Every structure is written in C-alpha cells, then in structure tokens.
C-alpha cells in the first residue's frame, strides 16, 4: 500500500505568497476542491508516474483511490496514464478529501489571529488533534472517516496493491491508524516537517498477512532521480492545520 500526497498545487504557491507578504487572506481563483496542480506539481506527478511504471508489473498498483479534490485527481491520473490505464480507473472517494477548515478557510496565520483571536486561543488550549473550527473538522474527524476506508479495503480488496492519493493530513491520519499511534506520536511526526509533495509512504503485508508494516516514509527518490524539485509546502498555515 502506498499513501501519496498530491503534487504541488496552485494553493500551496498562493499560501506561500500570502504568508511571505503578510497578507491576511490567501488569494485563490477557485474553491479548495477545485484548486489544480501548479506547473511544478504536474512535473512531480509525472515523475511519480514514471517511477511506478518502472516497477516490476507484479509490484505495480492494482487499485488507485484518490481524494475527489482536483489536485489529487490530477496526481492520480498522471500515475494511471504512466501505466497506460484510463482516468476512469481512478476511484474518487470523498472520505479522502482534505481536512475541512470551516470559517478559517483561506486565512493565513496572521489573518486567523486578527479575525478569530478566540479560536486561535482555543486551538492552543485544545491542540490541533482535537480542535474543530466552526464548520470544519478536527484531525479526529478525519481519522474517523479513514477508519471506514481501511475497513472497506480489508473487506473488498484483500490482496490488492493499493495506491491512495490525498493530502498531508490524510497521510498523517492513515499513519496514525495503520501504525497504532497515539496523539503525541503523530503530532511529533507532524512537527518534524511537512509531507513532501508526491512523497510516498509505503507499507507491505506482515508475514502473517494480518496487518501492514511500514517500509518507508516521505520517499522522494522518484522526483530526485528525474531532477524534479522537491517541495514541502503546507496545505494551510500552521494556525489552521
């Protein structure tokens, strides 16, 4: 099983521009679900696809699931195209969507503190794992929906080689579930740095076939081997993630 973060998106670039300029809002022409890959994100996705294509056929994905958000779908399509398979073979699953930020959507760290100081303080108290902004989700909410994804895979796709393309929080929450982590452990991993765009977290079946064992995390050799820049940009400012 491979869990992959989408390639760099136009939203990643816009967020960096807003943070560096001291703006309160991230300027985007699309709603979050429709934000596409950047030109670099397209290159990263193609590099990922080339790496998957180079795997022996017996080691290539047989099933590809994707967040329905455009940037993830584009990344998954690049992989399927490299395998000469059609876009129709990518299964879009709404449970893999980005964490919902509710009223904090599109605000930078500065904007959140200015417009929602009470929420900023509440988040400091509660912590990002349990904090749910109005109209949004906590990490726990994301974990809850991903539990059912894993159950469906175990029940309906046992024995398949599965690639999941999603978002940074999706990668972390899958790790939390598969590796039986607690809150402190996954948040410590999160503090180490952002998941690279098109970074791969890989699992293999355990010897007894009853579970999954971690093989590697944040694997970016497919990008490095092709000279494609590696980016580690947040999907949202630290104050909202």
């Amino acid at each position: 099983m491979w869990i992959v973060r989408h390639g760099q998106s136009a939203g990643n670039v816009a967020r960096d521009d807003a943070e560096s300029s001291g703006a309160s809002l991230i300027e985007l022409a699309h709603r979050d679900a429709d934000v596409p890959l950047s030109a670099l994100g397209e290159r990263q996705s193609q590099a990922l696809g080339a790496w998957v294509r180079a795997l022996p056929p017996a080691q290539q994905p047989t099933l590809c699931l994707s967040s329905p958000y455009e940037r993830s779908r584009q990344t998954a399509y690049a992989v399927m195209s490299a395998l000469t398979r059609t876009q129709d073979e990518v299964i879009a699953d709404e449970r893999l969507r980005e964490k919902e930020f509710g009223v904090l959507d599109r605000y930078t760290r500065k904007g959140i503190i200015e417009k929602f100081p009470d929420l900023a303080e509440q988040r400091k108290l509660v912590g990002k794992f349990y904090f749910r902004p109005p109209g949004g989700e906590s990490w726990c909410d994301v974990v809850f929906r991903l539990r059912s994804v894993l159950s469906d895979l175990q029940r309906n796709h046992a024995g398949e080689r599965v690639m999941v393309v999603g978002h940074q929080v999706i990668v972390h929450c899958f790790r939390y579930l598969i590796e039986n982590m607690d809150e402190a452990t996954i948040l410590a991993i999160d503090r180490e740095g952002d998941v690279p765009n098109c970074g791969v977290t890989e699992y293999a079946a355990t010897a007894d076939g009853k579970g999954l064992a971690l093989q590697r995390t944040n694997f970016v050799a497919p990008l490095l081997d092709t000279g494609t820049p590696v980016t580690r940009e947040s999907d949202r400012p630290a104050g909202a993630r």
Side-chain angles (χ1 to χ4, degrees):
M1 183 176 183
W2 303 268
I3 305 171
V4 182
R5 186 186 178 196
H6 60 76
Q8 184 196 61
S9 72
N12 296 148
V13 176
R15 184 205 63 83
D16 281 351
D17 289 345
E19 291 283 5
S20 62
S21 67
S24 296
L25 282 171
I26 301 169
E27 295 296 333
L28 289 171
H30 310 277
R31 62 175 184 160
D32 193 28
D34 298 327
V35 171
L37 293 176
S38 66
L40 175 55
E42 292 178 356
R43 287 177 57 197
Q44 292 169 336
S45 300
Q46 291 163 3
L48 175 65
W51 173 74
V52 172
R53 184 180 64 239
L55 294 173
Q59 297 178 22
Q60 293 174 352
T62 57
L63 178 68
C64 184
L65 305 179
S66 171
S67 159
Y69 283 27
E70 183 64 18
R71 53 194 179 273
S72 294
R73 288 161 63 100
Q74 287 179 300
T75 303
Y77 291 162
V79 173
M80 289 292 100
S81 177
L83 295 175
T84 65
R85 294 163 66 178
T86 67
Q87 294 184 0
D88 291 341
E89 294 181 75
V90 174
I91 300 175
D93 191 321
E94 72 283 347
R95 294 172 296 181
L96 300 174
R97 70 189 184 276
E98 174 64 285
K99 173 183 174 292
E100 296 181 358
F101 298 94
V103 298
L104 303 184
D105 191 30
R106 300 201 181 202
Y107 282 93
T108 63
R109 182 186 296 106
K110 175 176 179 286
I112 292 170
I113 293 172
E114 289 176 347
K115 189 171 180 62
F116 305 102
D118 290 345
L119 291 180
E121 286 301 315
Q122 183 185 22
R123 182 185 177 282
K124 286 182 182 179
L125 175 65
V126 175
K128 69 192 306 181
F129 194 79
Y130 292 107
F131 174 69
R132 179 190 294 141
E137 293 179 299
S138 66
W139 278 38
C140 278
D141 294 321
V142 178
V143 167
F144 182 75
R145 49 178 157 100
L146 293 186
R147 285 190 187 279
S148 65
V149 174
L150 287 176
S151 294
D152 285 351
L153 289 174
Q154 292 167 347
R155 181 173 58 253
N156 300 320
H157 300 285
E160 294 216 50
R161 297 183 296 276
V162 182
M163 177 168 281
V164 175
V165 183
H167 310 268
Q168 175 160 271
V169 173
I170 294 296
V171 176
H172 283 328
C173 289
F174 264 124
R175 290 199 62 186
Y176 171 87
L177 288 169
I178 295 171
E179 299 173 47
N180 295 311
M181 295 181 183
D182 58 17
E183 175 193 4
T185 302
I186 191 57
L187 292 185
I189 289 172
D190 180 63
R191 286 193 295 271
E192 292 174 359
D194 294 318
V195 176
N197 293 112
C198 281
V200 179
T201 294
E202 182 178 359
Y203 296 90
T206 56
D208 60 10
K210 295 181 179 180
L212 293 170
L214 180 67
Q215 303 299 300
R216 50 191 169 183
T217 64
N218 297 341
F219 177 63
V220 293
L223 278 61
L224 297 175
D225 291 345
T226 58
T228 305
V230 176
T231 52
R232 299 174 180 267
E233 296 151 333
S234 299
D235 290 319
R236 284 293 183 272
R241 291 208 318 269

